[in-house]
Amino acid sequence: MEPKKKPSALYWISGIAFTFFIALLGFFLAMVPGFDHVGQLASAIIIAVIYRKIFGYPEMIRSGITFSSKRLLRFAIILYGLKLNIDTVLHDGIGLLIRDAGVITFAILLTIWLAKVFKADKNISLLLGVGTGVCGAAAIAAIAPIVKSKDEDTAIGVGIIALVGTIFAITYTILRPFLPLSAVDYGIWSGISLHEIAHVALAAAPGGEDSLAIGLLAKLGRVFLLVPLCFIFMYFMKRKSHGQESGDNKIEFPWFLIGFILMSLFGSYILGSHIPVTDGFKNGVSNLTTWCLTAAMVGLGLNVSLKDLRTKALRPLIAMLITSVCLSIIAYFIV
């Protein structure tokens, strides 16, 4: 029997290009009224799922698509580390950090418990709990390989977190004028309870500069806690697979987290202070992170079956909605 030929470089490049093309379509879809609140990430996943439904999975370029969904995803998480200013969190956000830790613990445990009550998909519910508690899509992407999540489940989790987080952020802006909260307290409430950094920015901005600044600081505290949370999950996964450390049960060390930490340290203490950079450079890196993350999510979204989406996503979605509502109420009273 002849050995299988490795996929050609052309198919590999075509697969990567295809994920960026769908990401581009997602970028344009996000300009359409209604989708402009959902964002590029969720829009691209929607297009990928619809493409899979109509045309099927593009098997010929699978190698490139897999590269995007695996390697580009880790690269995006490493770049995401530049968004975290460790110095600011440690100097100005210790009090917020304690509340952030409580928020993360509450969100994950409540979502897992509700998943048991509703008999929801455990893996998707866990990812949604992490996304709700920490920092949305980036947290889901970081935890997914540790808990050995299927690409399909990861994409479903990211899509749900983007949609629900957007709805909550818009709701916050509607409620703001009627709430007896100062601008700073409103910003803290947004920062410790909303899902993504973008959602916090969307909700806190109408409260003014002070509201936005403290909201982002509170949110960065949750991003900061992503690293220890990943190692906690690694510990429990290793215990769970104790005595079965071969094959699919082996837990690989998430080296991309080291990259995330190093990039955070670099951005916090070197970039800007010792190496001058312009706002244009920072925006460019942020845009590169978004595009790589979007292309990676396209690769994951192509693995989603609409049939499975209907059967697997509804109950985890309900669990996450209840958790998000409870989190918002509790966060309001601890501000």
Side-chain angles (χ1 to χ4, degrees), residues 74 77-82 253-266:
R74 286 155 176 74
I77 294 173
I78 291 171
L79 286 181
Y80 195 83
L82 285 175
F253 186 82
W255 291 105
F256 61 90
L257 283 181
I258 301 299
F260 176 89
I261 295 169
L262 292 176
M263 198 62 74
S264 299
L265 292 170
F266 179 71

Coordinates of all heavy atoms in Angstrom, one line a residue, residues 74 77-82 253-266:
R74 N -4.4 30.1 18.7 CA -3.5 30.3 19.7 C -2.7 31.5 19.6 O -2.3 32.2 20.5 CB -2.6 29.0 19.8 CG -3.3 27.8 20.4 CD -2.6 26.5 19.9 NE -3.2 25.4 20.6 CZ -4.4 24.9 20.3 NH1 -5.2 25.5 19.4 NH2 -4.9 23.8 20.9
I77 N -4.7 34.4 20.8 CA -4.8 34.5 22.2 C -3.5 35.1 22.8 O -3.5 35.9 23.7 CB -5.0 33.1 22.8 CG1 -6.4 32.6 22.5 CG2 -4.9 33.1 24.4 CD1 -6.6 31.2 22.9
I78 N -2.3 34.7 22.1 CA -1.1 35.3 22.6 C -1.1 36.8 22.3 O -0.7 37.6 23.2 CB 0.1 34.7 21.8 CG1 0.3 33.2 22.2 CG2 1.4 35.5 22.0 CD1 1.3 32.4 21.4
L79 N -1.5 37.3 21.2 CA -1.6 38.7 20.9 C -2.6 39.4 21.8 O -2.4 40.6 22.2 CB -2.1 38.9 19.4 CG -1.0 38.7 18.3 CD1 -1.6 39.0 17.0 CD2 0.2 39.5 18.5
Y80 N -3.6 38.7 22.2 CA -4.6 39.2 23.1 C -4.0 39.7 24.4 O -4.6 40.5 25.1 CB -5.7 38.1 23.4 CG -7.0 38.7 24.0 CD1 -8.0 39.2 23.2 CD2 -7.2 38.6 25.4 CE1 -9.2 39.7 23.7 CE2 -8.4 39.1 25.9 CZ -9.4 39.6 25.1 OH -10.5 40.1 25.6
G81 N -2.9 39.1 24.8 CA -2.2 39.4 26.0 C -1.8 40.9 26.1 O -1.7 41.5 27.1
L82 N -1.6 41.5 24.9 CA -1.3 43.0 24.8 C -2.4 43.8 25.4 O -2.2 45.0 25.8 CB -0.9 43.4 23.4 CG 0.4 42.9 22.9 CD1 0.6 43.3 21.4 CD2 1.6 43.5 23.7
F253 N 0.3 20.6 27.8 CA 0.5 21.9 28.4 C 0.1 23.0 27.4 O 0.6 23.0 26.3 CB 1.9 22.0 28.9 CG 2.2 23.3 29.7 CD1 1.9 23.4 31.0 CD2 2.6 24.4 29.0 CE1 2.1 24.5 31.7 CE2 2.8 25.6 29.7 CZ 2.6 25.7 31.1
P254 N -0.7 23.9 27.8 CA -1.1 25.0 26.9 C 0.0 26.1 26.8 O -0.1 27.1 27.4 CB -2.4 25.6 27.6 CG -2.2 25.3 29.0 CD -1.4 24.0 29.1
W255 N 0.9 25.8 25.9 CA 2.1 26.7 25.8 C 1.7 28.1 25.3 O 2.4 29.1 25.6 CB 3.1 26.1 24.8 CG 3.8 24.9 25.3 CD1 3.5 23.6 24.9 CD2 4.8 24.8 26.3 NE1 4.3 22.7 25.7 CE2 5.1 23.5 26.5 CE3 5.4 25.8 27.1 CZ2 6.0 23.0 27.4 CZ3 6.4 25.4 28.0 CH2 6.7 24.0 28.2
F256 N 0.6 28.2 24.7 CA 0.1 29.5 24.2 C -0.2 30.5 25.4 O -0.1 31.7 25.3 CB -1.1 29.4 23.3 CG -2.3 28.8 24.0 CD1 -3.2 29.6 24.7 CD2 -2.6 27.5 23.9 CE1 -4.3 29.1 25.3 CE2 -3.7 26.9 24.5 CZ -4.6 27.7 25.2
L257 N -0.5 29.9 26.6 CA -0.7 30.7 27.8 C 0.6 31.4 28.2 O 0.6 32.5 28.7 CB -1.3 29.9 28.9 CG -2.7 29.5 28.8 CD1 -3.1 28.7 30.0 CD2 -3.6 30.7 28.7
I258 N 1.7 30.7 28.0 CA 3.0 31.3 28.3 C 3.2 32.5 27.4 O 3.7 33.6 27.9 CB 4.2 30.3 28.2 CG1 4.0 29.1 29.1 CG2 5.5 31.0 28.4 CD1 3.9 29.4 30.6
G259 N 2.9 32.3 26.2 CA 2.9 33.4 25.2 C 2.0 34.6 25.6 O 2.4 35.8 25.5
F260 N 0.9 34.3 26.1 CA -0.1 35.3 26.6 C 0.5 36.1 27.8 O 0.4 37.3 27.8 CB -1.4 34.6 27.0 CG -2.4 35.5 27.6 CD1 -3.4 36.1 26.9 CD2 -2.5 35.7 29.0 CE1 -4.3 36.9 27.4 CE2 -3.4 36.5 29.6 CZ -4.4 37.1 28.8
I261 N 1.1 35.3 28.7 CA 1.7 36.0 29.9 C 2.9 36.9 29.5 O 3.0 38.0 29.9 CB 2.2 34.9 30.9 CG1 1.0 34.1 31.4 CG2 3.0 35.6 32.0 CD1 1.4 32.9 32.3
L262 N 3.8 36.3 28.6 CA 4.9 37.1 28.1 C 4.5 38.4 27.4 O 5.1 39.4 27.5 CB 5.8 36.2 27.3 CG 6.6 35.1 28.0 CD1 7.3 34.2 27.0 CD2 7.5 35.6 29.0
M263 N 3.5 38.2 26.5 CA 3.0 39.4 25.8 C 2.4 40.4 26.7 O 2.5 41.6 26.5 CB 2.0 38.9 24.7 CG 1.7 39.9 23.6 SD 3.2 40.3 22.6 CE 3.3 38.8 21.7
S264 N 1.7 39.9 27.8 CA 1.1 40.9 28.7 C 2.2 41.6 29.5 O 2.1 42.8 29.7 CB 0.3 40.1 29.8 OG -0.8 39.4 29.1
L265 N 3.3 40.9 29.9 CA 4.4 41.6 30.5 C 5.1 42.6 29.6 O 5.5 43.7 30.0 CB 5.4 40.5 31.0 CG 4.9 39.6 32.1 CD1 5.9 38.5 32.3 CD2 4.8 40.4 33.4
F266 N 5.3 42.2 28.3 CA 5.9 43.0 27.3 C 5.1 44.3 27.1 O 5.6 45.4 27.1 CB 6.0 42.2 26.0 CG 6.6 43.0 24.9 CD1 8.0 43.4 24.9 CD2 5.9 43.5 23.8 CE1 8.5 44.1 23.9 CE2 6.4 44.2 22.8 CZ 7.7 44.5 22.8

